Amino acid sequence: MKELNVKVPAVQETSYPIIIGSGLLSKAMKMVNDKFPRYAKFIVSDICVANAGLLKTLDPQGNIPKFIINPAGEQSKTIQTVISIVEQMEKAYMGRDTVIIALGGGTVGDMAGFAAAIFKRGIPVVQIPTTTVAQADSSVGGKTGVDSTISKNAFGSFHHPAMVIIDIQTLMTLDDRQYMAGLIESVKHALIMDAEYFDFIESNIENITARKTEILEAIAEKNCRIKASVVENDPTEKNQRRALNYGHTIGHAVESASNFDLLHGESVAIGIVAAGLIEEEMSLADNAQHKRIRNILARLNMPAKIPASISQQQIIELLKRDKKAINSWPKFVLLEKIGKVHCIDNQWAIDVDEKLIRKTLPKLY
Ligand code: GLY
């Protein structure tokens, strides 16, 4: 028997620039052309982004081939939409020398990234996130995917962007509900990694909700630094990256059970309250800390309760189907204190018994 020792990179090259500023969108095509001078360009965006005028700012002549997702949002985040994107690219004679430009929120970025991961075995993608949730979280880190009819992101891959361009002016096009909900990912970053950042958010909450440019730039940079450091340490979510799921385990279940009536950030806010109750139940944190966290969530107009239309059993069933579940039960990320995740045996997500979750759920109604 002959043994061959073939070395392949363990993970894809993960270094890429993140460019943050105000009014960058009109210069973004030049940035993409400078980085990919010999590549064809293909834009993936959605109808809301187009109607908000952002597509026109990126591509004023309108002559770059594109796919516009319609309707916008989670209901279009399906494998069928990805097939349509791929087929549109084939119809436009796109080859492997094409870069996809994802202009939009988390669902656009996830779908465009997934299409880039699978088109002719993989082509580059540039992420231009236009929402608070995408700028804080989903555009950085290479997670791409689409939902099945059963669960969120059932199809997916890690496909890191070649570049991320964050124009905080694009946030001015969001309605208040979407804008505020996306800020939960910034609160999450502060809670898991950086107590000073939490203080900063707390003391600047009025400026944040008023969308002050300097504050938004500061927040965008802070988010990207935190996210990049976690992704650098653990690109494929073997351990530390799980911390980014703080509030997301119960949050995702609530989001799916609401049929996406609740926004991602709203669901994660409920998940953060749930995590706080579990922490209290396990005597990890005191009530004063939770009051402080709940106060920030309330100031961002986030819900703290699971809608009455969703049963506790539905949540339990969805937790069992969580894509990160092991033996049909997920691990949970919990805080030791603001800015620090409670690790056991160096694990950032830990076992929490189903009984304890069943005991906690009624307190969320
Ligand atoms: N959104 C969580 C992560 O990127 O790992």
Side-chain angles (χ1 to χ4, degrees):
M1 196 172 77
K2 203 168 158 191
E3 192 178 308
L4 292 181
N5 187 5
V6 181
K7 287 205 171 97
V8 291
V11 290
Q12 191 187 349
E13 169 64 64
T14 55
S15 168
Y16 45 89
I18 302 171
I19 302 141
I20 299 169
S22 182
L24 293 181
L25 191 55
S26 57
K27 303 172 199 137
M29 270 327 294
K30 180 171 176 348
M31 292 180 200
V32 178
N33 283 325
D34 287 348
K35 187 161 176 77
F36 293 99
R38 279 182 284 281
Y39 275 60
K41 316 293 176 306
F42 187 87
I43 298 172
V44 176
S45 192
D46 73 27
I47 191 71
C48 290
V49 173
N51 288 343
L54 299 179
L55 189 57
K56 186 126 186 84
T57 308
L58 177 70
D59 174 26
Q61 312 300 327
N63 54 8
I64 300 172
K66 52 183 70 65
F67 186 91
I68 306 301
I69 298 162
N70 188 9
E74 197 82 24
Q75 78 253 49
S76 290
K77 202 178 140 184
T78 63
I79 198 76
Q80 192 51 52
T81 307
V82 173
I83 292 171
S84 302
I85 293 171
V86 166
E87 289 179 350
Q88 182 72 22
M89 292 177 72
E90 288 185 289
K91 284 181 197 155
Y93 301 101
M94 301 272 126
R96 295 187 73 182
D97 56 344
T98 302
V99 55
I100 292 184
I101 303 165
L103 176 73
T107 54
V108 169
D110 277 5
M111 279 190 274
F114 189 53
I118 59 173
F119 184 73
K120 302 193 187 229
R121 299 207 175 90
I123 59 170
V125 61
V126 170
Q127 293 283 353
I128 309 184
T130 60
T131 62
T132 34
V133 72
Q135 293 192 356
D137 183 38
S138 53
S139 63
V140 175
K143 279 190 180 175
T144 72
V146 294
D147 304 339
S148 71
T149 53
I150 313 275
S151 67
K152 232 173 117 69
N153 299 323
F155 306 93
S157 74
F158 286 103
H159 189 64
H160 289 278
M163 176 160 62
V164 182
I165 302 170
I166 296 180
D167 179 355
I168 52 116
Q169 280 305 320
T170 61
L171 301 181
M172 309 304 164
T173 63
L174 300 177
D175 64 35
D176 277 347
R177 185 180 170 206
Q178 229 194 339
Y179 173 79
M180 301 283 245
L183 291 169
I184 298 307
E185 298 292 349
S186 305
V187 173
K188 175 199 77 180
H189 282 148
L191 288 174
I192 60 167
M193 295 296 280
D194 193 332
E196 273 179 30
Y197 184 31
F198 190 83
D199 296 344
F200 177 85
I201 293 175
E202 209 172 36
S203 50
N204 285 287
I205 197 83
E206 269 88 31
N207 289 333
I208 293 170
T209 54
R211 310 188 198 195
K212 292 268 166 66
T213 305
E214 323 77 67
I215 293 282
L216 293 183
E217 273 181 4
I219 286 180
E221 186 181 340
K222 195 76 192 164
N223 286 327
C224 289
R225 284 196 192 283
I226 291 174
K227 176 110 196 220
S229 75
V230 174
V231 172
E232 258 168 42
N233 284 338
D234 182 15
T236 52
E237 200 171 320
K238 299 282 185 286
N239 189 6
Q240 190 191 3
R241 187 164 179 173
R242 290 182 183 171
L244 297 173
N245 292 319
Y246 186 65
H248 281 61
T249 309
I250 289 182
H252 272 159
V254 172
E255 187 180 0
S256 294
S258 80
N259 284 323
F260 303 104
D261 283 348
L262 285 173
L263 297 177
H264 178 70
E266 292 169 337
S267 311
V268 172
I270 295 169
I272 289 177
V273 173
L277 292 169
I278 298 166
E279 287 152 17
E280 261 184 66
E281 197 64 54
M282 291 173 71
S283 305
L284 286 174
D286 60 23
N287 193 262
Q289 173 173 306
H290 295 144
K291 269 203 177 137
R292 213 178 145 201
I293 297 170
R294 277 198 289 260
N295 185 36
I296 282 280
L297 299 177
R299 289 171 80 187
L300 293 171
N301 291 340
M302 288 300 107
K305 302 270 181 207
I306 299 176
S309 56
I310 299 173
S311 72
Q312 292 174 45
Q313 192 50 33
Q314 260 178 297
I315 300 293
I316 296 288
E317 288 299 322
L318 284 158
L319 289 176
K320 289 182 177 177
R321 290 179 201 279
D322 187 294
K323 65 181 168 307
K324 296 175 185 102
I326 297 166
N327 293 329
S328 305
W329 192 245
K331 293 189 183 295
F332 288 77
V333 179
L334 299 173
L335 295 185
E336 200 164 296
K337 59 181 179 183
I338 289 174
K340 190 170 188 327
V341 170
H342 178 66
C343 295
I344 296 181
D345 295 335
N346 201 29
Q347 294 300 303
W348 291 68
I350 60 171
D351 292 319
V352 179
D353 198 70
E354 184 180 330
K355 275 198 206 115
L356 197 143
I357 300 300
R358 285 188 183 272
K359 191 171 168 199
T360 306
L361 282 177
K363 299 180 192 163
L364 285 157
Y365 286 85

